[in-house]
Amino acid sequence: MGMLSEFKEFAVKGNMVDMAVGIIIGGAFGTIVKSLVSDVIMPPIGYFTGGLDFSNLALSLGKGMDGKEVLIKYGTFLNAVIAFLIVAFVLFLVIKGINKAKAAMETEKQEEEAAAPPKQEVLLEEIRDLLKEKA
């Protein structure tokens, strides 16, 4: 029973749940990016390059032993590289925004800590403390 309770504690820790949610959202985001690249970005690029569709680009190595043509599909690879660059850029923007927000919060916190109370208030607190000691 001890191992089961340890596993339960491990599985429901906040970090583990957050990671699982991140993986699920990442998978969904990957699907969106794949659609963005293949359905939105690549058609205009193909249009401006004279109808060239990158996903169909391949280098033929000849026929294999089974009679089928052996292809190096570098167009699919180009699509994957473009999708990666889009994901990387979006993540860069998200992390940049998070870092900017953190810096603003830290600056605000430092300003609050730096704001010292007025001298009169400090003096009154010292008098109060002295009176407590005498009593």
Side-chain angles (χ1 to χ4, degrees):
M1 195 67 175
M3 185 178 282
L4 184 61
S5 63
E6 282 182 49
F7 177 75
K8 182 179 176 183
E9 181 182 338
F10 169 76
V12 296
K13 279 188 177 181
N15 292 343
M16 187 65 123
V17 173
D18 292 344
M19 187 174 69
V21 169
I23 290 170
I24 292 168
I25 290 175
F29 187 69
T31 304
I32 292 170
V33 170
K34 184 177 179 181
S35 174
L36 176 69
V37 170
S38 62
D39 300 332
V40 177
I41 293 175
M42 295 312 288
I45 291 174
Y47 176 77
F48 290 120
T49 58
L52 183 64
D53 181 11
F54 284 162
S55 63
N56 293 329
L57 294 178
L59 177 66
S60 176
L61 298 177
K63 298 214 182 240
M65 290 188 181
D66 59 355
K68 294 182 181 177
E69 195 165 356
V70 179
L71 300 173
I72 297 176
K73 298 181 180 182
Y74 65 91
T76 306
F77 176 73
L78 287 175
N79 282 348
V81 168
I82 292 170
F84 169 77
L85 292 174
I86 291 170
V87 170
F89 183 69
V90 168
L91 287 176
F92 168 75
L93 292 177
V94 168
I95 291 172
K96 185 176 179 178
I98 290 171
N99 289 341
K100 196 174 205 178
K102 276 185 183 179
M105 288 174 46
E106 287 177 10
T107 302
E108 184 178 303
K109 187 177 181 181
Q110 288 174 352
E111 288 174 358
E112 288 176 4
E113 291 174 357
K119 287 185 178 184
Q120 295 171 345
E121 189 174 318
V122 173
L123 183 60
L124 287 172
E125 288 176 356
E126 288 176 4
I127 293 170
R128 180 197 65 204
D129 293 340
L130 286 171
L131 288 172
K132 280 184 182 178
E133 288 176 15
K134 287 187 178 184

